[in-house]
């Protein structure tokens, strides 16, 4: 997988963490230490969850190698559509939280990285090495989470839905690209 595709997937995956980070900055005005704890947690989980999905996929990818591109397309398309649907939903799906304690950060890190598990599964079906992508996924999520808190503190929630829609569109686009490459 090339660097551009890896970066685009990383940005798409990081949109939930970025949005939650904006919300965190809006609600809490956290100190630098809490901002770093949030960004490190989000980045770490965004790097670990694809490995879990990849390892699960390695066990049975030979059974489905003929349809792996359809599975990758389906998973990425589903995740992207889910992100767009939730961003356009009538109510706010993001839970506003009052404190940035360890438990809250842990739960948010898991919640924002579930999609990365499915991407890791997709990468195993495509027989993509996992090391480079997870480093990129974690680093991009870390930096976007830091940026999200700063934006939340300074600009408010004006961009919140737009970044989720953008992230969803990126993931759908990557799914379409994978499908077209394998069908061609």
């Amino acid at each position: 997988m090339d660097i551009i595709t890896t970066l685009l997937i990383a940005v798409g995956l990081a949109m939930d963490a970025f949005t939650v980070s904006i919300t965190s900055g809006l609600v809490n005005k956290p100190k630098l230490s809490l901002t770093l704890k949030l960004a490190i947690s989000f980045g770490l989980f965004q790097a670990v969850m694809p490995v879990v999905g990849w390892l699960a996929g390695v066990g049975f990818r030979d059974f489905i190698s003929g349809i792996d591109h359809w599975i990758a397309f389906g998973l990425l398309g589903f995740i992207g559509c889910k992100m767009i649907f939730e961003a356009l939903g009538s109510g706010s799906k993001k839970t506003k939280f009052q404190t940035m304690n360890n438990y809250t950060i842990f739960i948010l890190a898991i919640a924002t990285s579930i999609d990365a598990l499915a991407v890791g599964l997709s990468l195993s079906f495509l027989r993509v090495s996992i090391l480079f992508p997870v480093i990129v996924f974690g680093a991009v999520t870390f930096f976007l989470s830091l940026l999200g808190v700063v934006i939340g503190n300074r600009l408010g929630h004006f961009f919140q839905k737009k970044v989720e829609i953008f992230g969803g569109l990126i993931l759908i686009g990557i799914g379409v690209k994978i499908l077209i490459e394998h069908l061609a």
Side-chain angles (χ1 to χ4, degrees), residues 3-19 46 83 112 115 133 136-141 143-145 163-171 174:
I3 184 79
I4 300 298
T5 301
T6 302
L7 283 170
L8 287 173
I9 291 172
V11 169
L13 287 174
M15 286 299 111
D16 277 348
F18 180 61
T19 303
Q46 203 73 293
M83 287 175 68
T112 58
D115 296 346
V136 174
F137 297 168
V140 167
T141 301
F143 288 113
L144 286 177
S145 296
V163 295
E164 286 236 16
I165 292 169
F166 180 67
L169 290 173
I170 287 173
L171 292 179
I174 297 299

Side-chain angles (χ1 to χ4, degrees), residues 1-3 6-7 129-137:
M1 183 163 52
D2 63 72
I3 184 79
T6 302
L7 283 170
S129 173
I130 196 67
L131 182 61
F132 178 69
V134 298
I135 291 169
V136 174
F137 297 168

Side-chain angles (χ1 to χ4, degrees), residues 22-174:
I22 290 172
T23 304
S24 174
L26 283 168
V27 174
N28 296 299
K29 310 285 189 218
K31 298 176 187 174
L32 179 60
S33 62
L34 289 174
T35 300
L36 287 173
K37 186 188 296 187
L38 180 86
I40 290 168
S41 297
F42 283 7
L44 182 66
F45 273 81
Q46 203 73 293
V48 169
M49 292 296 263
V51 173
V52 172
W54 188 83
L55 289 172
V58 166
F60 61 91
R61 72 179 173 204
D62 289 335
F63 298 111
I64 56 171
S65 62
I67 58 168
D68 57 359
H69 50 283
W70 286 103
I71 293 171
F73 168 73
L75 288 172
L76 291 170
F78 174 75
I79 294 164
C81 288
K82 178 178 161 276
M83 287 175 68
I84 293 168
F85 177 75
E86 289 173 351
L88 296 174
S90 60
S92 173
K93 79 170 181 81
K94 302 296 182 212
T95 303
K96 302 246 180 200
F97 41 89
Q98 299 302 319
T99 62
M100 292 303 296
N101 60 34
N102 290 337
Y103 177 76
T104 302
I105 291 172
F106 177 74
I107 295 301
L108 290 172
I110 291 173
T112 58
S113 64
I114 294 293
D115 296 346
L117 183 101
V119 170
L121 186 64
S122 298
L123 293 177
S124 77
F125 294 155
L126 298 173
R127 299 180 188 274
V128 171
S129 173
I130 196 67
L131 182 61
F132 178 69
V134 298
I135 291 169
V136 174
F137 297 168
V140 167
T141 301
F142 171 80
F143 288 113
L144 286 177
S145 296
L146 285 176
L147 180 64
V149 173
V150 171
I151 289 172
N153 273 320
R154 297 204 174 128
L155 300 178
H157 60 279
F158 176 73
F159 296 108
Q160 187 171 354
K161 289 186 179 193
K162 290 180 173 125
V163 295
E164 286 236 16
I165 292 169
F166 180 67
L169 290 173
I170 287 173
L171 292 179
I172 291 169
I174 297 299

